[in-house]
Amino acid sequence: MKWKKLLAIGMTAVMTAAFVSGCGSNNAKDAGGSSSAGKKIVVGLDDNFPPMGFKDENNEIVGFDIDLAKEATKRLGREVEFKAIDWSSKEAELKSGRVDVLWNGLDITEKRKENMLFSDPYMDNRQIIFVKKGTTGITDEKSLAGKVVGTQSAGTAEEYMDKSDFFKKNVKEVKKYSDYVSAFMDLENGRIDAVVGDEITGRYYMSKHADSLEAIDSPVGEISTFGIGFAKDNQQLRDEVQKVLDEMKADGTMAKISEKWFGKDITKK
């Protein structure tokens, strides 16, 4: 009987050690181990935001940020899925886990930092004014008094105008659109007097409509920077992506992608 009792004790010890070892393994993963290795990264974006991310004539999602994300995930050895979302609900999409990152010309703001982690800034972005070609009288922010101005909902320009006394009191109306393309179409058709929005997106759109639009090279509000947004509790993914972005910057890959879309390297050094 004694040997049976010793055997039972021994088996119990082995099972306990295995259980503790297993728990230790899971805890290591939770603490930032390799549990995410190989897992697909779901990128949330506004798929009508050229040239950062948009659908081309073949209905394929393309753009500067798309190329960056593809190269970064390739280096991480992970698949990537691009998921079009309602940009005004982007923080809820990220928090819920329906997307892993927001990577689509996302401005880094103090308000957004309350709800998400950010990569290091990789590009500057100004908000400027766009008008119909031949327009006179609009030369800077103050000259928008009495005008109907369009912008994209949930964007940096909207945030600035919503808290600006000038836009509240002096601008006739601020019309908000689901995307900049719709705003520019209304501008071309004379339904609004101007668009205030991201310089990068606006100049790209303008290059395709050079006969109908022009830019007023006068910034509205503060100059912002683009970054990649991550869930507050996903420091591991943030650090993994930042590491390969740093590598892409150092080896010139990021500059080449910028030259492809903008004709020059406009990324932050």
Side-chain angles (χ1 to χ4, degrees):
M1 293 296 293
K2 187 175 181 181
W3 67 269
K4 289 183 179 179
K5 186 175 181 181
L6 290 172
L7 180 62
I9 293 171
M11 289 298 293
T12 301
V14 170
M15 291 176 67
T16 301
F19 177 74
V20 171
S21 175
C23 289
S25 176
N26 287 337
N27 288 339
K29 289 179 180 180
D30 291 342
S34 58
S35 62
S36 63
K39 183 182 176 184
K40 178 171 66 176
I41 296 176
V42 181
V43 175
L45 75 154
D46 169 6
D47 64 356
N48 199 15
F49 190 45
M52 309 308 283
F54 62 103
K55 287 185 177 179
D56 65 10
E57 60 275 9
N58 298 316
N59 212 36
E60 297 289 333
I61 295 179
V62 298
F64 173 78
D65 277 333
I66 305 305
D67 285 353
L68 277 188
K70 284 181 177 179
E71 178 63 24
T73 52
K74 177 183 175 182
R75 294 184 183 213
L76 289 171
R78 298 171 67 172
E79 293 183 13
V80 62
E81 175 188 342
F82 297 101
K83 184 176 182 180
I85 61 173
D86 178 355
W87 199 242
S88 63
S89 303
K90 56 187 174 294
E91 292 182 14
E93 293 282 340
L94 188 63
K95 187 175 182 179
S96 69
R98 286 189 289 270
V99 301
D100 298 309
V101 300
L102 299 172
W103 198 335
N104 194 211
L106 178 66
D107 282 308
I108 300 173
T109 67
E110 293 304 314
K111 182 179 179 182
R112 289 173 179 169
K113 284 181 180 178
E114 295 173 4
N115 300 308
M116 67 180 83
L117 300 175
F118 277 98
S119 68
D120 294 344
Y122 62 90
M123 185 181 290
D124 286 332
N125 184 42
R126 301 190 307 166
Q127 309 299 310
I128 65 171
I129 304 166
F130 298 89
V131 296
K132 196 170 182 179
K133 198 152 194 174
T135 297
T136 58
I138 297 179
T139 56
D140 56 15
E141 180 177 341
K142 297 304 180 185
S143 64
L144 293 173
K147 307 296 184 183
V148 179
V149 179
T151 194
Q152 177 174 315
S153 295
T156 305
E158 180 198 37
E159 290 181 14
Y160 171 75
M161 289 189 280
D162 280 351
K163 64 184 181 182
S164 165
D165 287 339
F166 170 77
F167 278 93
K168 290 177 183 178
K169 298 175 181 178
N170 300 98
V171 172
K172 183 177 180 180
E173 181 185 359
V174 175
K175 293 190 69 172
K176 300 173 182 180
Y177 297 83
S178 60
D179 54 73
Y180 277 122
V181 173
S182 299
F184 283 122
M185 288 176 65
D186 267 8
L187 178 59
E188 289 178 284
N189 292 323
R191 298 189 185 100
I192 57 179
D193 299 304
V195 169
V196 174
D198 294 332
E199 178 178 20
I200 290 169
T201 301
R203 287 194 182 279
Y204 180 82
Y205 184 91
M206 193 178 71
S207 71
K208 308 296 182 182
H209 301 77
D211 294 335
S212 57
L213 298 175
E214 58 185 299
I216 306 298
D217 195 14
S218 176
V220 175
E222 296 179 357
I223 297 174
S224 60
T225 53
F226 285 154
I228 306 160
F230 303 82
K232 271 283 192 180
D233 60 355
N234 208 347
Q235 184 73 44
Q236 179 182 343
L237 180 59
R238 185 266 174 206
D239 292 345
E240 289 175 355
V241 172
Q242 185 62 56
K243 182 176 182 292
V244 293
L245 283 181
D246 291 342
E247 293 171 358
M248 290 162 61
K249 186 178 294 185
D251 66 22
T253 302
M254 191 179 291
K256 289 179 182 177
I257 295 173
S258 178
E259 288 164 5
K260 170 185 172 181
W261 288 100
F262 306 108
K264 61 179 180 178
D265 181 16
I266 60 173
T267 60
K268 289 186 74 67
K269 302 299 184 285

